[in-house]
DNA sequence: TTAGTATATAATCATTCGCTTATATAATCA
DNA sequence: TGATTATATAAGCGAATGATTATATACTAA
């Protein structure tokens, strides 16, 4: 496919306020599905379907930890320079995550990079 | 509207290969409707409708000269930095214009910046 | 004035999109 | 084990999208 056509596909996917906000959030940290459900106030299937689209074109990758699925930006994507430059023009969405933490809704999952803290499961919090 | 929502609208509009190519072409030069019709091999109404959408959000502006309407990038657009950074990651489409010139299909219109050469109308060529 | 060229708009239509509800799968917890 | 929690998928539906054809408008040329 022509590079400009590939770029158009990526831009169309980013041209949705929910997905664009998701990507901006993922610029700073990984998030799991239930955090997005909480943040956007949308149904869980709606969130899953947005993430599926982002995953299908390789914009995000997933990391299954315990009962959660964490999504993160795929910095190896062929068009990552395009993605990065778009995200860099957007205002930070980090305060949304801070609020989630304050509300005790942030998921803490300790198996990051293979580690596992057996005595820290459940509704734990990060940030 | 939130900045991220405005950005999503712009990105959605850029997320179409025809419009994205139009914008990349306009990065270097202004073009008129019939040139786009020739370049994309699409119907004239289809081209007009794409340009209308770009104009409605202020991404392009128009400049009527004689019987033609030339479109050009609106560098004053609030989100021009976003637009510019996206376009900068795309491959040049200039050879399309060169080919158009070779085919004698490029429109030469001399009323640029108020000038008017009365003895140079019709199917003239630029480039 | 009339014919031709350039452009815009309206109506239509098939496709895509984004959501919903219902349901399936997998992991955890009691 | 059975209940709960997290996630994914399928079906359905209304709205948006991108093209087409038909038509209207405006400028140019003879």
């Amino acid at each position: 496919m022509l590079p400009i056509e590939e770029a158009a596909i990526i831009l169309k996917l980013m041209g949705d306020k929910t997905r664009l906000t998701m990507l901006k959030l993922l610029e700073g940290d990984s998030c799991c599905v239930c955090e997005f459900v909480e943040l956007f106030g949308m149904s869980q299937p709606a969130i899953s379907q947005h993430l599926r689209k982002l995953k299908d074109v390789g914009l995000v990758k997933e990391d299954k930890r315990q009962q959660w699925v964490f999504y993160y930006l795929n910095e190896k994507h062929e068009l990552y320079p395009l993605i990065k430059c778009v995200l860099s023009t957007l205002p930070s969405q980090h305060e949304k995550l801070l609020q989630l933490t304050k509300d005790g809704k942030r998921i803490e999952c300790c198996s990051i990079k293979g580690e596992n803290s057996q005595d820290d499961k459940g509704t734990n919090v990060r940030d």
Side-chain angles (χ1 to χ4, degrees), chain A:
Chain A
M1 200 189 318
L2 293 172
I4 207 156
E5 293 179 22
E6 292 183 46
I9 289 168
I10 298 303
L11 291 169
K12 180 185 282 184
L13 276 166
M14 299 182 86
D16 173 275
K17 78 176 180 202
T18 303
R19 285 191 298 262
L20 189 59
T21 309
M22 281 175 164
L23 291 170
K24 184 68 185 179
L25 283 163
L26 293 179
E27 203 187 18
D29 205 348
S30 64
C31 288
C32 73
V33 182
C34 60
E35 288 173 326
F36 282 132
V37 169
E38 191 65 36
L39 278 169
F40 291 103
M42 286 169 61
S43 72
Q44 176 268 317
I47 295 295
S48 269
Q49 286 159 17
H50 279 303
L51 289 166
R52 176 71 135 88
K53 289 180 186 186
L54 294 176
K55 197 180 66 171
D56 280 350
V57 298
L59 281 177
V60 302
K61 292 187 161 244
E62 63 182 26
D63 182 14
K64 300 187 181 183
R65 298 183 219 150
Q66 297 163 34
Q67 72 266 51
W68 298 288
V69 179
F70 284 80
Y71 286 86
Y72 60 96
L73 269 193
N74 175 17
E75 305 193 353
K76 307 262 176 62
H77 192 284
E78 187 192 3
L79 296 183
Y80 187 67
L82 168 62
I83 296 146
K84 192 74 187 167
C85 96
V86 169
L87 296 181
S88 71
T89 71
L90 303 177
S92 170
Q93 304 295 306
H94 190 63
E95 87 291 343
K96 289 190 170 64
L97 292 181
L98 293 177
Q99 187 57 51
L100 205 63
T101 302
K102 280 185 198 155
D103 297 345
K105 303 277 182 59
R106 199 83 201 277
I107 302 297
E108 175 65 35
C109 182
C110 304
S111 60
I112 298 171
K113 296 186 189 292
E115 283 181 36
N116 248 304
S117 159
Q118 293 298 335
D119 45 3
D120 216 16
K121 286 181 183 174
T123 42
N124 258 313
V125 195
R126 70 188 199 272
D127 235 341

